[in-house]
Amino acid sequence: MVHYGKILNKIKVEMSVNTENSKRLAKNTVLLYIRMALIMVVTLYTSRVVLNALGVEDYGIYNAVGGFVAMFGVISNSLTAAISRFITFELGKGDHEKIKDVFSTSVVIQLIIVGIILLICETLGLWFLNAKMTIPLERLTAANWVYQLSLITFVINIISVPYNACIVAHEKMGAFAAIGVFQALGTLLIAFLINSTPIDGLVFYSILMALLAVIIRMLYGYYCKKNFSECTFRWVFKKILMKEIFSFAGWNFIGSTSAVLRDQGINILLNLFCGVTVNAARGIAMQVSNAVMQFSNNFMTALNPQITKSYAIGDKEYLMKLVFQGSRLSFYLLLFISLPLIIETETVLALWLKTVPAHTVLFVRLILVYVMIESVSFTLITLLLSTGKIKKYQITVGGLQLFTFPLAYIVLKMGYMPEYTVFISILIALITMQLRLKLLQSMVGISPVAFLSKVVLNVLLVSLVSLVLPLLMNYLLPGSFIKFGINIVLCVFVTLLSIFFVGCSIEERIFVKTKILNLLHKK
């Protein structure tokens, strides 16, 4: 018989350690989930309005051209990870002078990168857009407008990176949440204005999205300069610091390249082999995926700084606790919202959109499965980046991920369905998880066996238990709105029970029960 009193005392002792960090993590997570709830509703509704206003063809053009511009982010994405890591690491160590140097050096680096990206985009990028991409001739002029305006938006977002990194590193999620909600509402307003424009709707939409990016950039800059002393830009050239950042970013370039080729590169391949209609289908699936990912991303945004700071001060016990529990929670959050969508994809899309492009249903289901698998590795990636020793990691994991693009090209060239590109991403995600664990075993002493049993096996069992009843109900009941409602409620109920009884340890269940009882007694 388990002595619950001793277990509860043990939990209380453990919770007394890093109490302030835990409270801040909980507060920031709540703020980010309020942000997420508002943004997700607004984003999903905005997608419907934009799709109906632009039509399937123009919506596909916007996703294809915007995705093409985003491909050039491979140059910046590697530096973005480096900047976020260095600012958070130095903040964890408490070296405020070093933080000022990191911030100013980061801004200088980003300005250099902007110049390189503009040079590439206005030469090779323009040629590829007009000579190689599959765009109807009568929409080519509009596509060029979209290209230039997407480029402006992209450059503005690059320049904002050091400011955003400071907000996250300081764990000031209230401001992050407020600005995010403002951006979502601005996007919704733009969507409603499309039908009233006297000019081309696609061009008008692109202009306003670029203008919104400028406003958001100004808000981030104002908040950071007002609240963080290090966010005052100075023209400093710290050679040693620049070398460290570029060294980190140089190896991270491999991982950034693989991520961009996997997401935006495949979007271009689908355009070349399948046309803009499939781009629209994948664009809708990515909208669903991005909205669902907010459930995990918001939690990770609050968790990541604490992982990096714990590593910086050498608190290994708390670090491992964050990594293991954070990995499970990331998956649970995605499973909770994804399972109803996977079971009732057709009905959800029909209710959400007036026009559902071909291939959308299967794209949505497969991409949701993919992001759930990837979520298990989120804390592992943060820990790897926290160490700063990423050469071997990027050569092995990043190198393997690079194969996603050529393999996708091969299956499309052989005439397979476009959805096979997602199957490739899923397979590689499973392999790279194992590689990350092997690397962390030698770098920080993490146990792959413990992670596989306590995290991977755990989330697999939770998923299987959660699936049984909804799938049975889906098979037995005829298609109707009543079946849809029953399945949604059943998915939510069964998933919560599965997480609590199968996913949580005895200590975690007791802790949850205690918290619930405390809340009830307060009432």
Side-chain angles (χ1 to χ4, degrees), residues 359-377:
H359 301 281
T360 305
V361 172
L362 191 50
F363 262 126
V364 169
R365 286 173 170 162
L366 290 175
I367 288 176
L368 287 176
V369 171
Y370 166 74
V371 297
M372 282 194 289
I373 292 170
E374 273 287 90
S375 70
V376 177
S377 293

Side-chain angles (χ1 to χ4, degrees), residues 119-134:
L119 178 63
I120 296 173
C121 286
E122 295 296 355
T123 52
L124 293 175
L126 271 179
W127 166 79
F128 187 83
L129 171 69
N130 290 279
K132 296 296 181 181
M133 291 191 69
T134 306

Side-chain angles (χ1 to χ4, degrees), residues 137-156:
L137 187 61
E138 67 274 11
R139 301 302 292 150
L140 195 57
T141 300
N144 275 273
W145 273 99
V146 171
Y147 180 79
Q148 296 297 337
L149 291 163
S150 297
L151 186 57
I152 291 171
T153 305
F154 178 67
V155 166
I156 292 168

Side-chain angles (χ1 to χ4, degrees), residues 47 50-69 129 133-136 139 142-143 146-147 150 202 205-206 264 266-272 274-287 355 357-358 360:
S47 299
V50 172
L51 177 61
N52 291 330
L54 295 180
V56 172
E57 184 178 87
D58 276 4
Y59 188 79
I61 290 172
Y62 186 82
N63 275 281
V65 175
F68 177 60
V69 172
L129 171 69
M133 291 191 69
T134 306
I135 296 171
R139 301 302 292 150
V146 171
Y147 180 79
S150 297
L202 184 57
Y205 178 67
S206 302
Q264 306 305 336
I266 290 177
N267 208 29
I268 301 302
L269 288 178
L270 291 174
N271 176 264
L272 296 175
C274 309
V276 293
T277 300
V278 173
N279 283 129
R282 189 173 186 271
I284 292 167
M286 293 304 295
Q287 287 280 351
T355 304
T360 305

